[in-house]
Amino acid sequence: MDVTKNNFKEAYCMLEKSLPNADFVSIDAEFSGLSTIKGPRYSYNTLEENYLKTKKGSEHFLILQYGICLFTWNEENNRYTAFPFTFNVYPRPYKRYFNDVMFMVQSSCLDFLSQNNFDFNKLFYEAISFVHPSTEKKVKDKYDNATKIINKKDSRASANEEKSAIQAVPKEESKVFIPKDKREFMGKIITMVEEFVVDCAKSSLDLPTCNPFERKLIYEILEERYPMGLFLQSEMNEKKEMYVRVVKITERGKSMKFQEDLLQESEFYNQTNAFNLVMKLLVQAQKPIIGHNMYLDMFYTCANFLASPPDCLSEYKLLLNGLFPVIYDTKVISSTNPLSGMLTKGTGLKNLTESIGVDLVPCELDFDEYVGDKINTEVSYHDAGFDALSTGKCFISLIKSLMLHFDKGDGRIQMDGNLLKPFQNRIFVMGINDINYVTVHKEDQMPSRRGIYLVTFPAEWKETDLHNLFSPICKIFANIVWVNDTSAYVSLQDKTKHEQVIEQYVKNKKHSNIFQIIPFPEQNNGTEDDTNETAAPETSSTKRKLISYQESDPEDGEISSDEEGDSKSPKDSNLTKKSEQDVKEPKAKKQAMFNVSEDW
């Protein structure tokens, strides 16, 4: 169901009614950008550094479209019923100056979305507004102040609601100071209003256009002279010039007008933070959340709608786990034995979806009766609602394939069962050579980085020179992490040769004027500083290629596309089948991914 501001109330009511009965909820998001930080495709960052890099490089991008799909088990049909929503979202200003969010865009992402038929006109003209966490307090304070003023005026009107005649105070020296250059203008205004008050044929009067200071004087003078019976309202003409409208009104009518103003103010505020109400429903429901390669999806969900990202990973994990206690990432699930061995195409969302009914068990769905013909079931990847639907289908198919593999039946998925425990709250992490995922609900164990070295060398060296350097001792893995033109991280295939490398290259200084080898733990506590805004210098040589965030295809919100050789999949043989190239040129193993049967 495609949701804009025009049908938001209808969609919200449907979501509010259906969400409590859902077994789980799948989500997906489309972004205005991925990261401002360029760098190598892979690194040996820690999870903490990876989070800080994401926070620094991605915090100021926006979610432009948010997909939510509810999945509810239907006992009668013995299958799940899906209810997908595509919310087009954009933070509209509140009272012109509030919620006026400054954000970043990345041209490659916008180009990618446009190539996938993203409707930017719909986004800017019809999107549902939300209040950004950075402006939430100011918007709420402005709304509270506006309602307080209206209620105060209303209480005064209610106390005199039976009085109907316009009452003017006796003419005496005004307490309102009028500057010399405004006295002629204000004299004309006062005369116009005096004539209007005694003219029974007129019920309203539009005063001449005026600037803000003149409007202030008009309000002060007229409220002083006519405390009852006149209602003043600022209006704008076709030329967008402001003026004051004077209306004759009884106090009872004035009270009704204030109530209308209060309702209008509340409606305007609710329109401004409309999508925040959806996220509030999602958080309160505490349903399992399913995503695919969802690291950025969850980060942007927090940063755009819920809370500003904390300054450290541990606090972010606490925040995320408090909002969504149960999370499953289909990228993690599909990259784990025995499922990784079943898949022949890869673990990108499109590849996984196409594997349903081929490598994985089929997934038949019904659609919610409330949606009816509003559902678009045509293939439309990178529409957030369609991707959320596809993610949920993949989750069902993956878990049912596991159930079949372990002879656990073929019915409703037990969301709190042992089969899902190994995957719970583990979110796939890209760009770190030896770490697959971050665990949200507990501390992560860092892998040993023994046998990993920072090598500095002459600019003329090529990749073959690095292989030749270590070949007398041991082969190194093919996925060298280039830091810049004269340094790179390498990893030994045989970690037992670490001491030999230390003796021959680290302690022996005879080649230090040509190259230098430093064991990984000695480098910045086991990390490299790659959070600079600019990338390491590229060379025209073919010896290496830096792949920046900007140069890559934002498939699934990823740095590069799963569809191009599935290069983001874990390289451990426990996770995926090794290609012929992997056999010829082994890559460094990631942290050992769990086997489902072992984790039971």
Side-chain angles (χ1 to χ4, degrees):
M1 180 180 183
D2 193 55
V3 187
T4 65
K5 65 180 182 180
N6 301 319
N7 65 341
F8 173 74
K9 288 184 179 179
E10 177 190 8
Y12 180 82
C13 290
M14 292 179 181
L15 183 65
E16 187 178 34
K17 182 176 182 179
S18 302
L19 184 56
N21 298 320
D23 286 46
F24 60 89
V25 179
S26 59
I27 60 104
D28 184 77
E30 302 297 334
F31 318 128
S32 67
L34 296 179
S35 179
T36 59
I37 300 174
K38 296 181 179 180
R41 186 176 202 164
Y42 292 105
S43 70
Y44 285 105
N45 282 345
T46 62
L47 287 170
E48 179 74 25
E49 288 172 321
N50 190 68
Y51 168 74
L52 293 177
K53 185 187 223 179
T54 301
K55 185 178 186 298
K56 182 179 180 182
S58 306
E59 190 172 6
H60 298 294
F61 291 112
L62 285 185
I63 288 178
L64 305 179
Q65 198 178 70
Y66 204 84
I68 295 175
C69 190
L70 314 183
F71 288 85
T72 308
W73 181 253
N74 187 323
E75 288 288 354
E76 184 179 344
N77 297 336
N78 199 38
R79 65 179 66 164
Y80 284 94
T81 298
F83 197 166
F85 298 85
T86 300
F87 292 93
N88 300 278
V89 295
Y90 184 72
R92 299 189 184 283
Y94 176 72
K95 299 291 179 97
R96 185 180 295 183
Y97 303 112
F98 297 87
N99 202 42
D100 188 14
V101 179
M102 289 180 283
F103 64 95
M104 302 182 73
V105 296
Q106 195 167 352
S107 60
S108 59
C109 285
L110 298 189
D111 183 61
F112 176 81
L113 289 174
S114 64
Q115 289 177 19
N116 285 276
N117 303 314
F118 189 92
D119 191 339
F120 287 96
N121 283 325
K122 181 186 292 184
L123 172 70
F124 296 119
Y125 283 104
E126 302 178 39
I128 305 147
S129 180
F130 65 89
V131 175
H132 198 273
S134 63
T135 67
E136 183 178 12
K137 186 178 185 305
K138 290 182 179 179
V139 171
K140 186 65 168 63
D141 289 347
K142 181 67 175 176
Y143 169 71
D144 290 342
N145 186 53
T147 55
K148 185 185 296 184
I149 291 172
I150 294 172
N151 283 324
K152 187 176 180 180
K153 290 181 177 180
D154 185 31
S155 63
R156 289 205 307 250
S158 298
N160 301 280
E161 64 177 7
E162 297 305 325
K163 298 180 180 180
S164 57
I166 298 173
Q167 297 184 19
V169 297
K171 291 185 178 181
E172 57 184 30
E173 187 176 349
S174 174
K175 295 180 181 179
V176 178
F177 173 75
I178 303 175
K180 276 187 178 181
D181 60 333
K182 299 297 179 184
R183 289 173 186 173
E184 182 180 354
F185 172 78
M186 290 305 299
K188 291 179 181 179
I189 295 295
I190 292 169
T191 302
M192 289 176 65
V193 174
E194 287 176 344
E195 293 173 354
F196 164 68
V197 166
V198 298
D199 188 346
C200 298
K202 289 184 178 180
S203 60
S204 66
L205 170 68
D206 290 345
L207 299 179
T209 57
C210 51
N211 62 39
F213 180 67
E214 290 167 340
R215 287 199 302 277
K216 177 177 180 291
L217 290 177
I218 290 171
Y219 273 85
E220 290 177 349
I221 287 290
L222 295 184
E223 286 181 351
E224 181 186 62
R225 292 200 175 198
Y226 302 96
M228 297 181 184
L230 289 185
F231 179 74
L232 308 180
Q233 179 70 44
S234 295
E235 302 287 351
M236 182 183 290
N237 63 21
E238 294 179 353
K239 296 181 180 180
K240 296 189 175 181
E241 297 170 325
M242 298 298 295
Y243 64 94
V244 175
R245 174 171 293 166
V246 185
V247 181
K248 294 175 184 176
I249 189 170
T250 65
E251 290 305 319
R252 184 187 295 275
K254 196 172 184 180
S255 179
M256 293 174 63
K257 174 64 177 174
F258 288 140
Q259 291 301 318
E260 290 176 6
D261 289 348
L262 193 62
L263 185 63
Q264 185 179 20
E265 188 71 32
S266 178
E267 181 71 16
F268 186 33
Y269 176 73
N270 288 336
Q271 288 176 0
T272 305
N273 76 334
F275 193 70
N276 298 78
L277 301 177
V278 172
M279 296 309 301
K280 186 177 180 180
L281 278 182
L282 206 58
V283 171
Q284 289 176 342
Q286 299 285 280
K287 298 292 182 180
I289 301 297
I290 315 300
H292 179 81
N293 199 11
M294 61 195 298
Y295 190 91
L296 280 183
D297 294 271
M298 299 312 295
F299 179 84
Y300 282 125
T301 296
C302 287
N304 278 249
F305 309 128
L306 300 170
S308 297
D311 292 329
C312 66
L313 177 61
S314 60
E315 290 183 9
Y316 171 68
K317 288 163 69 170
L318 283 173
L319 170 66
L320 188 58
N321 193 231
L323 294 168
F324 306 107
V326 181
I327 296 172
Y328 295 105
D329 190 336
T330 53
K331 182 77 172 178
V332 171
I333 297 171
S334 60
S335 300
T336 307
N337 262 338
L339 292 169
S340 59
M342 301 177 188
L343 299 171
T344 57
K345 287 190 173 183
T347 56
L349 181 59
K350 183 179 179 181
N351 287 334
L352 272 183
T353 306
E354 292 173 350
S355 297
I356 296 174
V358 181
D359 301 328
L360 304 172
V361 299
C363 177
E364 296 182 357
L365 295 174
D366 293 327
F367 288 99
D368 194 282
E369 60 180 344
Y370 291 102
V371 181
D373 59 1
K374 295 182 178 67
I375 285 185
N376 177 16
T377 56
E378 295 180 5
V379 174
S380 183
Y381 290 105
H382 306 295
D383 171 273
F386 182 84
D387 284 356
L389 172 63
S390 299
T391 297
K393 288 174 64 177
C394 290
F395 175 76
I396 294 170
S397 184
L398 286 165
I399 301 305
K400 288 204 169 188
S401 295
L402 271 183
M403 292 166 67
L404 183 65
H405 181 83
F406 292 111
D407 195 22
K408 297 292 181 180
D410 183 30
R412 185 177 190 174
I413 297 171
Q414 299 302 314
M415 300 302 296
D416 57 351
N418 288 335
L419 190 66
L420 292 178
K421 290 297 182 184
F423 312 113
Q424 187 171 313
N425 294 335
R426 283 169 166 165
I427 298 177
F428 193 81
V429 173
M430 293 184 54
I432 304 181
N433 253 12
D434 53 354
I435 300 176
N436 282 304
Y437 56 82
V438 58
T439 306
V440 176
H441 64 290
K442 62 182 181 181
E443 186 177 354
D444 292 278
Q445 298 298 317
M446 285 293 294
S448 169
R449 286 176 170 173
R450 180 184 175 88
I452 299 174
Y453 311 95
L454 174 65
V455 185
T456 56
F457 44 79
E460 307 83 54
W461 275 32
K462 298 182 180 180
E463 187 171 325
T464 53
D465 295 301
L466 289 174
H467 284 279
N468 291 337
L469 175 63
F470 285 89
S471 60
I473 299 175
C474 167
K475 289 184 178 181
I476 59 174
F477 284 106
N479 52 335
I480 296 170
V481 177
W482 297 98
V483 177
N484 54 40
D485 208 36
T486 58
S487 60
Y489 285 96
V490 300
S491 178
L492 299 181
Q493 291 188 29
D494 184 355
K495 304 299 183 184
T496 62
K497 302 294 184 180
H498 171 70
E499 295 300 333
Q500 192 172 341
V501 171
I502 297 296
E503 291 294 329
Q504 188 163 334
Y505 291 135
V506 178
K507 293 182 178 179
N508 188 345
K509 303 294 185 181
K510 68 178 181 178
H511 300 297
S512 59
N513 61 328
I514 303 174
F515 64 85
Q516 187 176 11
I517 297 177
I518 306 173
F520 188 90
E522 295 180 16
Q523 284 300 307
N524 194 25
N525 294 324
T527 65
E528 74 268 28
D529 182 12
D530 60 353
T531 58
N532 294 324
E533 292 291 342
T534 55
E538 297 184 36
T539 69
S540 57
S541 169
T542 58
K543 68 181 179 180
R544 62 191 69 114
K545 179 181 180 182
L546 288 176
I547 303 177
S548 73
Y549 289 94
Q550 282 75 10
E551 292 171 341
S552 52
D553 179 2
E555 161 75 11
D556 305 330
E558 297 169 353
I559 298 171
S560 58
S561 175
D562 267 349
E563 296 165 17
E564 297 178 3
D566 197 39
S567 55
K568 299 182 300 302
S569 296
K571 291 166 280 296
D572 191 341
S573 60
N574 285 336
L575 305 178
T576 57
K577 292 184 175 181
K578 284 190 175 182
S579 65
E580 292 181 6
Q581 180 67 20
D582 287 327
V583 175
K584 294 176 183 176
E585 294 287 345
K587 296 181 179 180
K589 290 186 177 182
K590 282 196 160 189
Q591 104 190 30
M593 194 76 127
F594 44 84
N595 285 308
V596 175
S597 56
E598 294 173 357
D599 269 46
W600 272 5

